[in-house]
Amino acid sequence: MLNLTDITVRLGGRTIIDAATAKLPPRGRIGLIGRNGAGKSTLVKVIASQLEPDGGSVDMPRGAKLGYIAQEAPGGSATPFETVLAADVERAALLEESETSHDPDRIGEIHERLIAIDAHAAPSRAARILVGLGFDEEMQHRELESFSGGWRMRVALASLLFSQPDLLLLDEPSNHLDLEAVLWLEDFLKSYPATILLVSHERDFLNNVVDHILHLERGKLTLYPGGYDAFERQRAERQAQLAAARAKQQAEREKLQDYIARNSARASTAKQAQSRQKALARMQPIAELVDDPSLSFDFPNPDELRPPLITLDMASVGYGDTPILQRLNLRIDPDDRIALLGRNGNGKTTLARLLAAQLTPMDGAINASGKMKVGYFTQYQVEELDRDDTPLQHMTRNMSGASPSAVRAQLGRFGFSGDKATTKVGKLSGGERARLALALITRDAPHLLILDEPTNHLDVDAREALIQALNGYTGTVVVVSHDRHMLEMTADRLVLVDQGTAREFDGSLDDYIAFVLSKDSNGSKGGASKADRKEARRAAAEAREKGTALRKAAKAAETELARLQAQLSALEKAMFDPSTAEPALAKLTMTDLMKRRADIAEKIEAAELAWMEASEALEGIAG
């Protein structure tokens, strides 16, 4: 379907893509992945003919239709529904011609073609796509200019999906979506009848949608069969082979160097030494795995506070005189890990701003610990960074009165050391700017960390590093994210923001996903009777309930294990290299450190046992 041959792209004198070649399977669903800055979006633009490569060719079957979302969101007085319908250019042109043509034969041809392309079903298909992406009936018929940029990008995505191109190019399509819309998109793409090339950093999304991974690394392309997990296994095997080959080569190099050193001066062996010198010169070094500082996240741990951190008592919150959320009753304790669920527009950000003390209750009460410090991350903070300043200048301003070494230490926690600390923000990647924003909001070791879509600019490896850092952080975390893997690995409490309030969701993330999918299915497809659907939901609820407690126990043990392992790692670092220890640990004696280590090791053993028992019980239910 799509052949890429020796694609080379140079930007600003630097080679981004270097003679990259790949042959993509017809009707394949291919996930294009790579580190931030690897050139994924550049390659997509080359394929979409929006960027001319410096070399190579892109070959597609003659007449194949390619679909790609433009960078600018649609606007104007048209409605989302009208905009999506207009994306089927042939249908729109035929309908217009049918209104103006006076030739009976041509009119007959037009109607035959309209029947062939199933034009009569287009309005209902457009509406289904818009509903799936979060537009209710009223929203579908509002003018585009009344929507934010994020919602208008959803309209652009809906238009692209409706047009059904032969090659569908999607560059981070989930960035403007909530979890519910991501689940719908995932289901849509799984049954898409043509070829998809998808750029994404979401592990679950890739696992559930794609059947091949196209990896862009150091300017080269490698195609792997399977989803993201299969790719990781294959890459790990490849890296192990690479490491073994590198070790073997290094041993051979040292052997040659030793021979040359011992025999160059002797007349009888000088010729052999010279031959080995040439062999050494011809030996191409095997590429080493790069230690990437962009994977550095290290949240400073806060001092302990007594519970609760925050309590909401019948609180209402909103803007002006309009409440968005009411009857809020919520308690947040130290060590809580909470995910806020619900569609965009339901009030997740409003609740987050209330918890961060950026909004005050309109009614009811909020009580918060007087000593509590809050770190609140949003995408706006990333966008509002001064592009002409450096990370060092940003942090120096925000840590007023702190010593230069303290400022540098906080930057170092997030990978900004050496020249990176003095690079202008405008020259940093999106992922680097996100790391800087996280470094700034955690500069005073907050007790409560509120993260609103923290992964949008991060690649898969950086997201994994962020998850590990959060699991090692001893404070409280409240997170809003459409990345299921992140929610599964960091949250042990789910709060659903829906219908004007927020309440605990009694179940696992898998239960919530099943709830969303069943709701979408019943809402859009009909079919079964209301009684049948009710009985099916009741049976499904009973089945889920049996495993919910066990899944919670297994998840809690897994989270606890990750946290304890991080604490153990910090303790061992303090024991064996005190100069790199956290300030709190650096003050302890070796005896105290050893006592703590023994205590944590005991807790790890207990957590492992709890996880094994819960997992075995779950397997028993499944069997």
Side-chain angles (χ1 to χ4, degrees):
M1 173 63 192
L2 177 67
N3 292 333
L4 307 175
T5 307
D6 293 331
I7 302 294
T8 298
V9 179
R10 300 182 186 91
L11 297 176
R14 187 166 67 94
T15 300
I16 305 296
I17 302 174
D18 185 12
T21 297
K23 184 176 182 179
L24 305 189
R27 293 182 177 269
R29 295 193 297 273
I30 297 99
L32 175 58
I33 69 167
R35 299 304 312 278
N36 284 340
K40 301 182 298 297
S41 294
T42 299
L43 181 60
V44 169
K45 288 177 183 176
V46 168
I47 296 169
S49 299
Q50 295 199 350
L51 180 66
E52 189 71 26
D54 294 286
S57 63
V58 177
D59 300 309
M60 285 178 57
R62 188 184 300 274
K65 184 170 69 171
L66 182 146
Y68 176 62
I69 294 181
Q71 293 299 310
E72 290 203 6
S77 59
T79 68
F81 184 73
E82 292 166 345
T83 303
V84 172
L85 274 180
D88 189 338
V89 178
E90 182 186 11
R91 175 183 177 276
L94 288 170
L95 288 174
E96 184 178 349
E97 188 180 355
S98 71
E99 296 291 326
T100 57
S101 177
H102 300 290
D103 180 351
D105 292 334
R106 178 57 185 155
I107 291 173
E109 290 172 358
I110 290 170
H111 283 287
E112 282 182 11
R113 182 59 185 161
L114 287 170
I115 292 169
I117 64 174
D118 204 16
H120 72 284
S124 61
R125 189 162 62 87
R128 280 200 303 273
I129 291 173
L130 284 166
V131 167
L133 293 176
F135 293 85
D136 60 24
E137 180 71 20
E138 183 272 330
M139 293 172 72
Q140 290 182 34
H141 299 287
R142 273 167 44 192
E143 292 187 355
L144 282 172
E145 60 190 17
S146 69
F147 291 97
S148 68
W151 281 99
R152 283 186 282 127
M153 287 307 295
R154 290 194 189 203
V155 175
L157 176 59
S159 300
L160 177 60
L161 299 178
F162 179 76
S163 69
Q164 291 187 313
D166 301 304
L167 173 59
L168 179 61
L169 295 179
L170 296 172
D171 192 350
E172 291 284 5
S174 62
N175 270 2
H176 301 286
L177 305 181
D178 49 36
L179 176 57
E180 291 75 6
V182 169
L183 292 170
W184 177 87
L185 177 62
E186 182 180 289
D187 192 53
F188 182 94
L189 294 178
K190 281 193 287 190
S191 58
Y192 191 74
T195 303
I196 301 171
L197 183 62
L198 163 72
V199 178
S200 178
H201 294 303
E202 293 188 35
R203 179 187 296 259
D204 286 356
F205 192 62
L206 290 166
N207 277 330
N208 293 330
V209 171
V210 308
D211 50 30
H212 286 78
I213 292 289
L214 186 62
H215 187 211
L216 179 57
E217 184 178 37
R218 297 175 184 173
K220 302 292 186 182
L221 288 168
T222 307
L223 188 65
Y224 296 83
Y228 185 81
D229 285 349
F231 155 75
E232 270 209 332
R233 286 193 297 272
Q234 293 171 77
R235 184 175 64 161
E237 291 168 4
R238 190 170 176 170
Q239 287 176 343
Q241 292 167 357
L242 200 64
R246 193 182 306 114
K248 184 178 178 182
Q249 186 189 67
Q250 184 59 28
E252 181 66 21
R253 183 183 294 276
E254 290 172 359
K255 186 177 177 182
L256 288 171
Q257 287 170 337
D258 179 63
Y259 185 93
I260 293 164
R262 286 188 292 103
N263 295 282
S264 293
R266 296 183 195 168
S268 59
T269 56
K271 192 173 182 180
Q272 292 91 326
Q274 192 176 34
S275 174
R276 282 166 173 75
Q277 181 70 57
K278 289 177 181 178
L280 185 63
R282 287 195 302 269
M283 191 179 287
Q284 292 295 319
I286 296 172
E288 196 168 354
L289 297 178
V290 179
D291 183 17
D292 192 340
S294 69
L295 300 182
S296 182
F297 294 91
D298 183 13
F299 297 107
N301 289 321
D303 51 11
E304 292 186 12
L305 290 180
R306 290 183 178 178
L309 289 183
I310 298 176
T311 55
L312 299 177
D313 184 11
M314 291 301 289
S316 298
V317 63
Y319 305 91
D321 297 326
T322 306
I324 303 297
L325 299 172
Q326 301 181 76
R327 306 181 308 281
L328 295 173
N329 293 296
L330 190 65
R331 170 178 168 143
I332 299 177
D333 289 327
D335 290 341
D336 266 345
R337 302 299 166 108
I338 300 171
L340 301 184
L341 306 176
R343 280 198 175 274
N344 283 356
N346 282 3
K348 298 191 298 291
T349 297
T350 300
L351 177 56
R353 293 188 65 193
L354 175 65
L355 298 176
Q358 291 189 0
L359 295 174
T360 55
M362 302 168 68
D363 196 10
I366 179 171
N367 296 300
S369 171
K371 296 180 180 179
M372 181 181 66
K373 291 177 285 190
V374 179
Y376 182 30
F377 174 91
T378 71
Q379 290 300 318
Y380 299 111
Q381 291 163 323
V382 178
E383 294 161 9
E384 290 170 1
L385 291 169
D386 190 327
R387 298 176 67 86
D388 292 325
D389 278 356
T390 67
L392 184 59
Q393 289 170 316
H394 277 91
M395 192 62 72
T396 301
R397 270 199 309 273
N398 281 270
M399 293 180 68
S400 179
S403 67
S405 61
V407 172
R408 289 272 188 179
Q410 176 63 6
L411 286 170
R413 285 176 173 272
F414 292 83
F416 294 100
S417 54
D419 292 342
K420 266 304 182 202
T422 54
T423 301
K424 286 190 175 182
V425 167
K427 293 185 177 180
L428 300 177
S429 69
E432 288 170 331
R433 291 197 293 271
R435 272 193 294 119
L436 176 57
L438 286 166
L440 290 168
I441 67 161
T442 59
R443 65 191 181 277
D444 58 354
H447 302 88
L448 171 61
L449 201 51
I450 303 173
L451 305 177
D452 195 344
E453 296 292 359
T455 63
N456 273 0
H457 295 287
L458 303 180
D459 59 44
V460 184
D461 292 333
R463 291 178 187 212
E464 204 64 41
L466 175 60
I467 288 168
Q468 291 178 19
L470 287 173
N471 285 334
Y473 168 67
T474 59
T476 300
V477 177
V478 175
V479 63
V480 177
S481 179
H482 58 260
D483 187 327
R484 278 161 288 172
H485 180 65
M486 181 180 186
L487 296 180
E488 286 168 348
M489 296 302 293
T490 60
D492 49 28
R493 281 180 65 189
L494 304 179
V495 172
L496 177 59
V497 183
D498 190 26
Q499 298 179 343
T501 191
R503 62 186 185 278
E504 298 277 345
F505 182 81
D506 186 19
S508 67
L509 189 62
D510 285 341
D511 294 330
Y512 179 69
I513 290 170
F515 163 73
V516 169
L517 292 176
S518 65
K519 185 169 67 172
D520 286 351
S521 175
N522 292 333
S524 62
K525 295 179 183 175
S529 69
K530 185 175 181 181
D532 288 342
R533 292 198 300 269
K534 183 176 180 181
E535 176 60 25
R537 284 197 300 271
R538 185 194 65 76
E542 285 181 0
R544 289 196 304 271
E545 194 174 326
K546 291 179 181 178
T548 294
L550 289 170
R551 280 193 294 271
K552 276 188 173 181
K555 175 61 183 172
E558 189 177 342
T559 302
E560 181 67 5
L561 265 174
R563 205 170 296 173
L564 290 168
Q565 292 284 5
Q567 290 178 13
L568 183 64
S569 177
L571 272 171
E572 289 178 341
K573 187 188 290 185
M575 291 170 68
F576 299 111
D577 190 2
S579 64
T580 63
E582 295 177 5
L585 296 176
K587 298 176 184 176
L588 299 178
T589 64
M590 181 58 73
T591 302
D592 290 335
L593 289 171
M594 291 178 69
K595 285 180 179 177
R596 284 201 182 190
R597 188 186 184 285
D599 181 51
I600 289 176
E602 190 175 321
K603 289 179 179 177
I604 286 174
E605 189 176 341
E608 285 176 342
L609 180 62
W611 180 82
M612 287 176 63
E613 288 176 347
S615 298
E616 287 172 2
L618 272 172
E619 286 178 10
I621 290 176

